[in-house]
Amino acid sequence: MTHNDAKRAPTDDQEAREKIAALLRRPWYVVAISGTVVLVSIVLLVLMGKFVAGLVIALVPAALIFAVCLGQAISFSPAAVARLKSAAEQTGGRFTLWKAGPGPYTGVPFEHGIGHDRFGVLDYVEQGLPVEVGHLLTTVDTHGKGLMPNAKRTAFAAIQLPERMAHMVLDFGRLSRFLGVRMAPEAWHRSQLVDVGGGRRFRLFVADGEEQLARAFFTPELVHLLQQIGRRYDVEIKDRYLYLFSTRSLGSGSDRRWQQQRTLIEGLARSVADSPVWDLLRRRSKRRSPARDALRRDDKRVVIIIVSVAVGAFVVLSAIAIYLWDQGLLKV
């Protein structure tokens, strides 16, 4: 390390600490403001004894913003980052406060948005396979100083695979849920669904032409394990990595929860490392490697579903508003 590097390292570390501290504080600011709007709106509605359109219009979006930001503030807290840092010694791994860019990862969350960085990252080896656990920060707009957070946070674990695999997604809807309700339909073309014996909710999408590879990889043992993992994570396989994605940090919650997450990753890494599919891929690589084609999206179907739901919600809300107006309970 040169003299300049030695002088620059503490500064860079301090900048990373300040950046992450500001990042983790921002949702709390929005929680305080939106929570105040919700509280004031409710108090005024109670005092007036009637529904006032203006207050209701302010209350509903404020309540949604409050719920979203409160969930982010709790799920990506300083305590969650600190837990991953303390786990570095336990796992014999390395903790990094800030990693600029998406790194080698190409999973769907790493490709959406206009910028990607990782923070609170733990790297270690499990069952002979490199594992990275951390938090992905995806910039979704160019307004860096607005009141609302301009970046989406996604918790992830990435397990490096022995060989390159075709693109596969197990979409359990964990990244598109709000208050336990799935808010967006599956984006993948339904013709790519492959049945590997996991049941109706085990919806595996596989790149065209790789159905046989998927059935070889998803053994009954692995399917059973992924059914448990699907209670908390969406799963994606692409190139040399298997990803787990969630809207809640792996390090959040209690120590018991963290140990449960580590146990899941350990079991998954063991099952993956022992899979017979790697011998199949090594033999097949002499003839051809897995398809590099990504899964095909069915955006038309997604748009139709979203528009239908939006129209239905508008009709229901309009009917409620008309009824309240007729009853004299709604004022402008």
Side-chain angles (χ1 to χ4, degrees), residues 2-18:
T2 66
H3 177 67
N4 289 336
D5 290 337
K7 291 178 62 178
R8 184 164 55 246
T11 302
D12 292 342
D13 185 65
Q14 182 61 29
E15 289 178 356
R17 292 178 184 276
E18 292 174 356

Side-chain angles (χ1 to χ4, degrees), residues 45-237:
L45 286 172
V46 171
L47 292 177
M48 293 179 179
K50 292 184 178 182
F51 288 94
V52 179
L55 290 177
V56 174
I57 292 173
L59 174 62
V60 173
L64 292 175
I65 292 172
F66 175 83
V68 170
C69 291
L70 181 62
Q72 280 201 353
I74 294 174
S75 298
F76 298 91
S77 65
V81 175
R83 181 170 284 120
L84 293 185
K85 182 179 181 179
S86 65
E89 183 176 351
Q90 303 168 9
T91 60
R94 182 180 73 257
F95 176 81
T96 308
L97 198 58
W98 185 271
K99 288 188 176 184
Y105 307 129
T106 58
V108 171
F110 288 93
E111 294 189 329
H112 285 187
I114 61 176
H116 305 83
D117 295 294
R118 291 161 288 156
F119 67 95
V121 179
L122 171 65
D123 290 280
Y124 66 104
V125 176
E126 190 69 77
Q127 304 298 318
L129 301 178
V131 176
E132 181 168 302
V133 176
H135 314 90
L136 173 66
L137 186 69
T138 303
T139 305
V140 295
D141 63 52
T142 57
H143 306 292
K145 297 183 180 180
L147 176 64
M148 284 294 293
N150 72 323
K152 179 180 179 181
R153 297 159 178 81
T154 304
F156 75 92
I159 302 175
Q160 186 171 330
L161 303 175
E163 299 287 337
R164 191 171 62 83
M165 286 282 284
H167 194 194
M168 306 180 191
V169 169
L170 266 170
D171 188 354
F172 293 101
R174 299 304 168 192
L175 295 185
S176 58
R177 290 180 183 270
F178 178 67
L179 299 179
V181 179
R182 181 163 185 158
M183 303 302 292
E186 297 159 340
W188 313 110
H189 203 284
R190 299 168 71 85
S191 65
Q192 298 174 117
L193 275 171
V194 176
D195 182 8
V196 290
R200 183 173 59 86
R201 295 186 178 181
F202 196 91
R203 298 177 65 77
L204 172 64
F205 295 85
V206 180
D208 293 330
E210 296 297 345
E211 295 82 3
Q212 181 180 359
L213 177 64
R215 292 189 175 95
F217 180 64
F218 287 91
T219 61
E221 175 192 0
L222 182 58
V223 167
H224 177 70
L225 179 59
L226 289 173
Q227 286 174 325
Q228 301 177 48
I229 290 174
R231 298 171 186 169
R232 299 180 177 89
Y233 305 100
D234 282 336
V235 183
E236 182 175 5
I237 300 171

